[in-house]
Amino acid sequence: MSTSSKMLFRSYLALGAGVLFTGVSAVVIKMANAPGVVTTFYRMGIGALVLLIPFMLYWRKNRSLAPRGILFAVLSGICFGIDLALWSTAIMDTDTTLPTLAANLAPVWTGLGAMWLFKEHPRRGFWMGLVISLVGIVVMIAPDLHGNTIVLRSILFGLMAGMLYGIYYLTAQEGRTKMETLPFLFISTFTSSIVLLAATFITGNALTGYPAHTWWVFIFNGVVVHVVGWWLINFAQGYLRATVVAPTLLGQPIVTVIVAWLVLDERHTWWHFAGGVIVIGGIYLVHWARRAKKAS
């Protein structure tokens, strides 16, 4: 096997592992048996601690960070922190699947944001994907539309989280042109941890007093899900086309559904499965339309 073939194989392996590790995030949050904002605070806080030493070594060697890169890294961290606060709260209110699928509408909001900020003119396929995704959300929540305010609030929080993640994607995309992966990941992660710490205090949740099981879940979430998972995805992005990476990331909610069924015994109706398939199909169409537009 040639060197390029080995690197390509490693990149696909890294992408698959990254999707698997990040896909279990919702289940890990549920298993912690702690408020969602607390679990996600420790995810980002522990992640920042793990990244601190590599970042300090990077800083000793380079001694320079682009001011605009820092600005966009901080903005990205703020958006991602609020995204996690909303999404994790929705997960603890209901189940792992519905908020996760709603939050994965981020590419739709990213496309709308790019149209507004960068004057992009989406193709017809983008608008078709947008409509299909929204129809899928309606199908998913149809069985719960009869006065179940908790489920509706959970979906709303998931949609809001997806919007924030869409903004995160736009700011991260701009910031990564000004800064390398390691410093960007550290600054954005540290910023998110500060946002989630503030959210923990605002919501009146405690940072301590949890059993040993919960602390192990916190550590797993910070080290494996955040640092390892996202590092693997970022590695793959350096060698694989975005047209490969972006659709593959749609496997995250699929991993969530399977692991939640196996570990948490979560059960869903055919409405939920049908709506989920429609949502993922719509998001894929949005990806395809945006990539085709850039290639033309």
Side-chain angles (χ1 to χ4, degrees):
M1 184 181 291
S2 65
T3 302
S4 59
S5 297
K6 287 182 180 179
M7 186 56 69
L8 191 62
F9 174 76
R10 290 173 183 173
S11 300
Y12 278 112
L13 190 63
L15 180 60
V19 168
L20 178 62
F21 289 147
T22 55
V24 303
S25 178
V27 178
V28 171
I29 291 172
K30 201 79 169 180
M31 290 176 62
N33 292 321
V37 291
V38 175
T39 304
T40 48
F41 160 69
Y42 280 111
R43 165 182 168 174
M44 304 308 283
I46 293 171
L49 285 176
V50 172
L51 292 167
L52 179 60
I53 293 178
F55 174 75
M56 294 303 294
L57 294 174
Y58 175 91
W59 174 256
R60 178 184 293 183
K61 181 179 179 180
N62 294 275
R63 293 284 181 180
S64 177
L65 293 173
R68 284 182 62 82
I70 296 174
L71 173 63
F72 280 105
V74 170
L75 290 175
S76 298
I78 293 172
C79 293
F80 194 49
I82 301 173
D83 158 44
L84 287 176
L86 292 168
W87 173 63
S88 61
T89 299
I91 287 172
M92 295 308 295
D93 280 347
T94 52
D95 59 25
T96 61
T97 306
L98 298 183
T100 299
L101 280 168
N104 270 270
L105 283 173
V108 173
W109 314 127
T110 301
L112 292 174
M115 181 180 66
W116 178 53
L117 293 173
F118 307 134
K119 308 304 179 185
E120 288 188 8
H121 300 287
R123 299 166 69 103
R124 182 182 301 174
F126 172 87
W127 298 109
M128 291 175 60
L130 171 61
V131 172
I132 291 172
S133 298
L134 295 177
V135 168
I137 291 292
V138 173
V139 171
M140 276 199 308
I141 66 175
D144 304 302
L145 286 177
H146 303 293
N148 195 331
T149 56
I150 295 178
V151 171
L152 294 179
R153 187 183 72 172
S154 176
I155 291 294
L156 178 61
F157 276 17
L159 290 172
M160 292 169 62
M163 291 180 187
L164 266 297
Y165 189 70
I167 300 173
Y168 162 79
Y169 185 85
L170 290 173
T171 53
Q173 186 178 43
E174 182 66 22
R176 281 290 286 111
T177 64
K178 308 290 190 301
M179 186 181 291
E180 293 182 41
T181 301
L182 174 59
F184 185 89
L185 184 60
F186 170 75
I187 294 172
S188 62
T189 298
F190 177 75
T191 304
S192 293
S193 69
I194 298 300
V195 170
L196 288 160
L197 179 62
T200 300
F201 286 135
I202 290 171
T203 55
N205 290 301
L207 290 172
T208 58
Y210 299 104
H213 160 80
T214 299
W215 288 104
W216 282 113
V217 173
F218 288 163
I219 293 170
F220 179 87
N221 203 21
V223 176
V224 177
V225 172
H226 187 70
V227 176
V228 177
W230 280 105
W231 200 296
L232 287 168
I233 291 172
N234 288 337
F235 171 82
Q237 287 173 324
Y239 297 94
L240 301 176
R241 293 177 178 270
T243 49
V244 172
V245 176
T248 304
L249 291 180
L250 294 178
Q252 290 172 329
I254 298 174
V255 172
T256 300
V257 171
I258 295 172
V259 176
W261 172 58
L262 294 174
V263 177
L264 303 177
D265 197 31
E266 287 188 0
R267 305 292 176 177
H268 299 283
T269 67
W270 285 107
W271 284 92
H272 295 139
F273 284 114
V277 170
I278 294 170
V279 169
I280 292 174
I283 297 172
Y284 183 86
L285 185 55
V286 166
H287 273 300
W288 175 82
R290 291 199 69 210
R291 297 304 174 188
K293 173 69 176 178
K294 291 180 180 180
S296 61

